[in-house]
Amino acid sequence: MKPIKKRLLTPGPTMVPERVLEALSRPTLYHRSPEFKRIFLETRELLKRVLRTEGEVLILTSSGTGAMEAAVSNLFNPGDSAVVVVGGKFGQRWQELCLTYGVEPVVIEVEWGRAVKVEEVKRALEENPGVKGVLVQICETSTGTIHPVREIGELLKNYPEALLIADGITAYGVYDIPTDEWGIDVAITGSQKALMTPPGLAVISLNGRAQERLEQVEERAYYFNLKKELKQQRKGQTAYTTATNLVVALNEALKMIEEEGLGEVARRHALLAEATREGIKALGLELFSESPANGVTAVRVPEGIDGQEIVKIAREEFGVTIAGGQEHLKGKIFRLSHMGYVDIFDVLTGLEVAEFALKKLGYDSFKLGSSVGAAMEVFSQKG
Ligand SMILES: *Cc1c(COP(=O)(O)O)cnc(C)c1O
């Protein structure tokens, strides 16, 4: 049977709700108009509530990496050092950004699939006095791993010189994260993951400490200049033309999150993740991460099977896009996303398509439907 429908189950971009697509298709607004200004200010307020911060929240016109780059180029002077947790592709990106801007990275190498230990961060801080920041992912998407950012925030209370800069691109909108309470000085997210909006917008929050740092640091960035943006965005303006249609769409998506309730959104993701994990285990497969996240599940591919083939079969024969592994994990894992506009039936789809592909590739020590059955059990008991 040829696939007649396409389904998107990758950890970004993710599926966009009909309501958001409708908002996206409204006539383009002038970015200096009163109407857009109102929407922009409201969107910033909605973001503050999703991030649970009293700090300033800036919207940048770029993918998520733009906000990561802005954090490094605006909050550090050349020659500063920063502790960087590198446990996957996105941790590496922090490291590369530091090198690009002359910030010396104090790297904590974490085996991919493992969460950093707070003691490792503590040791790095002790051994490198004067560190100006800690750069970490809340969820390392490449391995489906959640890092203990709350505990790192607790630790950093003893290091007032170091800003906690957390890439929460696949964490905000998956978990209910009290940014201020956790001591996250700078939080980063993007439109195309759990925020259920097409790619193109990045979000960065700055608490009081981060705003002070902004004032102290030599100005180096032109487009991603947070000082300039802060001044403009407080007034509902942006320094340059923003993607007005995307802002309108994001506004709608954030309203959907608010209507569902942040607590309920987090509960849904926890349940979807648990169901996925139980489904995977029912096939005799192993999770890749020892600290699995609620937005994406990474699955170890059985010996003798090429994980890229699973991804290919899913896409070509079933119209379902799932993700493979990156770098040295290529072929070794596949990833099922369950973040954003996702419900139980999407989870069942992801599991079933993995079953079909595995059978086809010769891994058949399971009965068709067993992962789906295990996932349904989770839902019927807790859903
Ligand atoms: C997706 C993602 C990013 C940003 O990637 P872009 O392609 O620039 O949007 C950064 N960090 C994490 C953890 C991500 O999942």
Side-chain angles (χ1 to χ4, degrees), residues 25 43 52 54 56 75 143 147 152 158 171 187 202 208 217 229 242 278 352-353 378:
S25 70
T43 309
R52 293 179 60 192
E54 296 296 320
E56 294 282 357
L75 299 170
T143 65
H147 286 303
I152 295 172
N158 305 316
V217 166
E229 287 298 339
T242 185
E278 289 309 311
E352 199 46 65
V353 96
V378 173

Short mmCIF file of all heavy atoms in Angstrom, two decimals, residues 25 43 52 54 56 75 143 147 152 158 171 187 202 208 217 229 242 278 352-353 378:
data_model
loop_
_atom_site.label_atom_id
_atom_site.label_comp_id
_atom_site.label_asym_id
_atom_site.label_seq_id
_atom_site.Cartn_x
_atom_site.Cartn_y
_atom_site.Cartn_z
N SER A 25 -1.56 31.96 8.06
CA SER A 25 -1.99 32.32 6.70
C SER A 25 -2.75 33.64 6.65
O SER A 25 -3.20 34.05 5.58
CB SER A 25 -2.84 31.19 6.12
OG SER A 25 -4.09 31.15 6.78
N THR A 43 2.52 38.52 22.75
CA THR A 43 3.29 37.29 22.57
C THR A 43 4.44 37.22 23.57
O THR A 43 4.73 36.16 24.13
CB THR A 43 3.84 37.20 21.12
OG1 THR A 43 2.75 37.41 20.22
CG2 THR A 43 4.47 35.85 20.84
N ARG A 52 7.79 30.98 32.64
CA ARG A 52 7.65 31.29 34.07
C ARG A 52 8.81 32.15 34.55
O ARG A 52 9.55 31.78 35.45
CB ARG A 52 7.49 30.02 34.88
CG ARG A 52 6.15 29.35 34.57
CD ARG A 52 5.93 28.07 35.32
NE ARG A 52 5.94 28.26 36.75
CZ ARG A 52 6.00 27.25 37.61
NH1 ARG A 52 6.08 26.01 37.17
NH2 ARG A 52 5.99 27.48 38.90
N GLU A 54 10.02 36.38 35.26
CA GLU A 54 9.71 37.82 35.37
C GLU A 54 10.74 38.61 34.58
O GLU A 54 10.68 39.84 34.53
CB GLU A 54 9.76 38.26 36.84
CG GLU A 54 8.71 37.60 37.73
CD GLU A 54 7.30 37.97 37.32
OE1 GLU A 54 7.07 39.14 36.96
OE2 GLU A 54 6.44 37.07 37.33
N GLU A 56 13.07 39.61 31.07
CA GLU A 56 12.68 40.06 29.74
C GLU A 56 12.76 38.88 28.78
O GLU A 56 13.68 38.07 28.86
CB GLU A 56 13.63 41.15 29.25
CG GLU A 56 13.56 42.43 30.03
CD GLU A 56 12.35 43.29 29.66
OE1 GLU A 56 11.60 42.92 28.74
OE2 GLU A 56 12.19 44.35 30.30
N LEU A 75 26.92 38.06 25.93
CA LEU A 75 27.04 37.94 27.38
C LEU A 75 28.46 37.61 27.85
O LEU A 75 28.69 37.43 29.05
CB LEU A 75 26.04 36.89 27.91
CG LEU A 75 24.56 37.23 27.64
CD1 LEU A 75 23.65 36.06 27.95
CD2 LEU A 75 24.14 38.46 28.46
N THR A 143 20.41 12.95 21.91
CA THR A 143 20.45 11.67 22.63
C THR A 143 19.17 11.41 23.44
O THR A 143 19.05 10.39 24.10
CB THR A 143 21.64 11.62 23.61
OG1 THR A 143 21.44 12.61 24.63
CG2 THR A 143 22.96 11.90 22.91
N HIS A 147 19.19 16.78 31.35
CA HIS A 147 20.25 17.12 32.30
C HIS A 147 19.64 17.74 33.57
O HIS A 147 18.59 18.37 33.50
CB HIS A 147 21.23 18.13 31.67
CG HIS A 147 22.14 17.55 30.64
ND1 HIS A 147 22.98 16.49 30.89
CD2 HIS A 147 22.35 17.89 29.33
CE1 HIS A 147 23.67 16.20 29.79
NE2 HIS A 147 23.31 17.03 28.83
N ILE A 152 21.83 22.15 38.97
CA ILE A 152 22.94 23.01 38.57
C ILE A 152 22.64 24.45 39.00
O ILE A 152 23.51 25.17 39.49
CB ILE A 152 23.21 22.92 37.04
CG1 ILE A 152 23.67 21.50 36.67
CG2 ILE A 152 24.23 23.96 36.59
CD1 ILE A 152 23.78 21.23 35.18
N ASN A 158 26.11 29.56 44.62
CA ASN A 158 27.40 29.84 45.26
C ASN A 158 28.40 30.47 44.31
O ASN A 158 29.55 30.69 44.69
CB ASN A 158 28.00 28.53 45.81
CG ASN A 158 27.03 27.83 46.74
OD1 ASN A 158 26.41 28.48 47.58
ND2 ASN A 158 26.87 26.53 46.58
N ALA A 171 12.70 21.56 25.80
CA ALA A 171 12.23 21.39 27.19
C ALA A 171 11.05 22.30 27.52
O ALA A 171 10.08 21.87 28.14
CB ALA A 171 13.38 21.62 28.16
N ALA A 187 17.30 31.72 29.38
CA ALA A 187 16.65 30.52 28.84
C ALA A 187 16.45 30.72 27.35
O ALA A 187 16.15 31.82 26.89
CB ALA A 187 15.31 30.30 29.52
N ALA A 202 13.34 32.36 17.31
CA ALA A 202 14.04 31.89 18.50
C ALA A 202 13.66 32.81 19.66
O ALA A 202 13.26 33.95 19.44
CB ALA A 202 15.55 31.92 18.27
N GLY A 208 17.45 39.78 35.56
CA GLY A 208 18.16 41.01 35.95
C GLY A 208 19.67 40.87 35.83
O GLY A 208 20.35 41.75 35.32
N VAL A 217 29.34 43.98 28.96
CA VAL A 217 30.12 43.30 27.93
C VAL A 217 30.32 44.18 26.70
O VAL A 217 29.44 44.95 26.31
CB VAL A 217 29.41 41.97 27.55
CG1 VAL A 217 29.95 41.38 26.26
CG2 VAL A 217 29.57 40.97 28.70
N GLU A 229 17.89 44.95 20.77
CA GLU A 229 16.58 44.29 20.76
C GLU A 229 15.79 44.59 22.03
O GLU A 229 14.59 44.84 21.98
CB GLU A 229 16.73 42.77 20.60
CG GLU A 229 17.15 42.31 19.20
CD GLU A 229 16.15 42.68 18.10
OE1 GLU A 229 14.96 42.93 18.38
OE2 GLU A 229 16.58 42.72 16.92
N THR A 242 10.76 41.71 11.70
CA THR A 242 10.63 40.36 12.21
C THR A 242 9.70 39.56 11.29
O THR A 242 9.06 40.14 10.40
CB THR A 242 10.12 40.34 13.67
OG1 THR A 242 10.13 38.99 14.14
CG2 THR A 242 8.71 40.89 13.79
N GLU A 278 7.57 2.43 27.27
CA GLU A 278 7.04 1.08 27.55
C GLU A 278 6.86 0.30 26.25
O GLU A 278 7.11 -0.90 26.18
CB GLU A 278 5.72 1.17 28.32
CG GLU A 278 5.87 1.62 29.77
CD GLU A 278 6.92 0.82 30.55
OE1 GLU A 278 6.88 -0.43 30.49
OE2 GLU A 278 7.79 1.45 31.18
N GLU A 352 4.26 1.84 15.85
CA GLU A 352 3.87 0.82 14.87
C GLU A 352 4.77 0.87 13.64
O GLU A 352 5.15 -0.17 13.09
CB GLU A 352 2.39 0.97 14.50
CG GLU A 352 1.81 -0.27 13.87
CD GLU A 352 2.17 -1.57 14.62
OE1 GLU A 352 1.75 -1.71 15.77
OE2 GLU A 352 2.88 -2.42 14.05
N VAL A 353 5.11 2.06 13.23
CA VAL A 353 5.95 2.19 12.05
C VAL A 353 7.35 1.61 12.35
O VAL A 353 7.97 0.97 11.49
CB VAL A 353 5.97 3.67 11.57
CG1 VAL A 353 7.15 4.43 12.07
CG2 VAL A 353 5.88 3.73 10.08
N VAL A 378 -0.44 1.83 29.26
CA VAL A 378 -0.06 3.02 30.03
C VAL A 378 -1.19 4.05 29.99
O VAL A 378 -1.60 4.62 31.00
CB VAL A 378 1.25 3.65 29.49
CG1 VAL A 378 1.56 4.97 30.16
CG2 VAL A 378 2.42 2.67 29.67
#
